[in-house]
Amino acid sequence: AVSTATAGSVVRIRPGVYRTSATITVPAGVAVRGEDENGALAPDRVILDGGATADDRTAGHRVFLLSNAGSGLCGLTIRNGFAADQGGGVYITNPTAGLSDCVFTNCCALAADGNGGRGGAVSVKVNVPNRAPLFTRCRFVACKAGEGGAVALMADAALSAFASDRSGACAFVDCEFEGNEAVQAGGSANGGALAATQCGVFAESCCFKGNWTTSTEASPSGARRGAAVEAAKYSVFANCVFDGNGSGHRALLNRSEERRVGKECRSRWSP
């Protein structure tokens, strides 16, 4: 039903657990919405399962691809998604896409050798100046990747200036990141919850709890950066909570002269 929907359509999914057989590409202008019998959002009851297991993550696949303008997801739980490269749950390559009231759990983006992979739950490629996706009231739980255990944000190679201005900032509002991990078997593990090394972040009223980074690199403190977040320049964190994140490095590694944490955020910094 999703792949054949036309622009302006809303595909409504009723409660249930749906095992997807392949990645679903959402057409332009189509919203996929999880609803209960009364039409209310029901992310705890509308579950899409990518098929990855603890014993064999490669048995799964990425659940959604948002590559078309104006596509979006709302009110869904996306679990057990897998990709060896980008976005185990969702890969976003169009900056007009958006996600709200979604839950991501046990999604993974890791290569077979335990290296590489970006955005266990979601990977975003920012490719148009002044446009980037918006995440609202989303939860990211127990997801894993080489960079950005839950979410990784990247900029198109031709637009690398995103790292030094505001044009590519991706926004997160009222989101929760808990128990996510960036892990590398012999390299640098960055951003236990969120890695945005090529573009900025605006996060408001978000919670980062119990995220961490793991690496077998010989110099572990230098190979594990940002237990919760590794962010590029021009990132802002307002009214956020950082609690119990750990890696042998500080919870927030932010390269921005403009970062705002201080009085606006409550933090229990990692050792």
Side-chain angles (χ1 to χ4, degrees):
V2 175
S3 61
T4 59
T6 57
S9 300
V10 177
V11 178
R12 294 177 169 85
I13 303 177
R14 295 306 185 196
V17 177
Y18 303 90
R19 171 71 181 270
T20 57
S21 59
T23 300
I24 301 168
T25 300
V26 181
V30 171
V32 181
R33 180 181 167 96
E35 297 181 349
D36 65 15
E37 297 81 355
N38 299 312
L41 293 176
D44 57 333
R45 298 178 60 198
V46 181
I47 301 168
L48 285 88
D49 192 311
T53 67
D55 294 329
D56 184 9
R57 63 175 179 262
T58 63
H61 53 266
R62 179 186 298 127
V63 180
F64 283 105
L65 172 63
L66 301 183
S67 57
N68 296 303
S71 57
L73 306 174
C74 182
L76 306 172
T77 286
I78 297 170
R79 74 183 188 190
N80 300 329
F82 167 77
D85 49 8
Q86 311 283 355
V90 178
Y91 186 25
I92 300 175
T93 61
N94 192 291
T96 61
L99 286 81
S100 64
D101 300 284
C102 287
V103 177
F104 295 85
T105 181
N106 293 314
C107 291
C108 176
L110 279 175
D113 63 358
N115 286 294
R118 290 173 171 155
V122 181
S123 182
V124 179
K125 185 175 182 180
V126 179
N127 53 17
V128 178
N130 303 310
R131 301 296 296 271
L134 169 65
F135 295 79
T136 308
R137 296 180 301 279
C138 290
R139 295 186 65 227
F140 304 88
V141 182
C143 295
K144 181 184 294 187
E147 181 176 328
V151 180
L153 310 177
M154 303 167 294
D156 189 285
L159 298 172
S160 59
F162 282 171
S164 59
D165 64 28
R166 300 179 183 84
S167 62
C170 194
F172 297 83
V173 179
D174 293 325
C175 292
E176 298 178 16
F177 299 80
E178 183 171 359
N180 303 288
E181 179 185 11
V183 56
Q184 290 276 16
S188 179
N190 306 323
L194 173 62
T197 57
Q198 297 176 332
C199 53
V201 175
F202 174 80
E204 181 178 8
S205 301
C206 293
C207 179
F208 299 86
K209 182 177 180 180
N211 304 284
W212 71 97
T213 57
T214 302
S215 176
T216 58
E217 184 74 19
S219 301
S221 63
R224 300 178 300 188
R225 299 184 294 199
V229 179
E230 183 182 18
K233 292 185 176 181
Y234 298 98
S235 291
V236 173
F237 295 82
N239 301 314
C240 293
V241 175
F242 293 85
D243 185 7
N245 302 285
S247 67
H249 206 290
R250 59 182 180 268
L252 173 63
L253 176 61
N254 190 307
R255 304 172 187 178
S256 171
E257 296 88 357
E258 293 195 353
R259 71 171 184 171
R260 297 205 304 266
V261 180
K263 293 184 292 185
E264 295 184 345
C265 296
R266 292 188 295 114
S267 307
R268 299 175 194 171
W269 298 101
S270 306

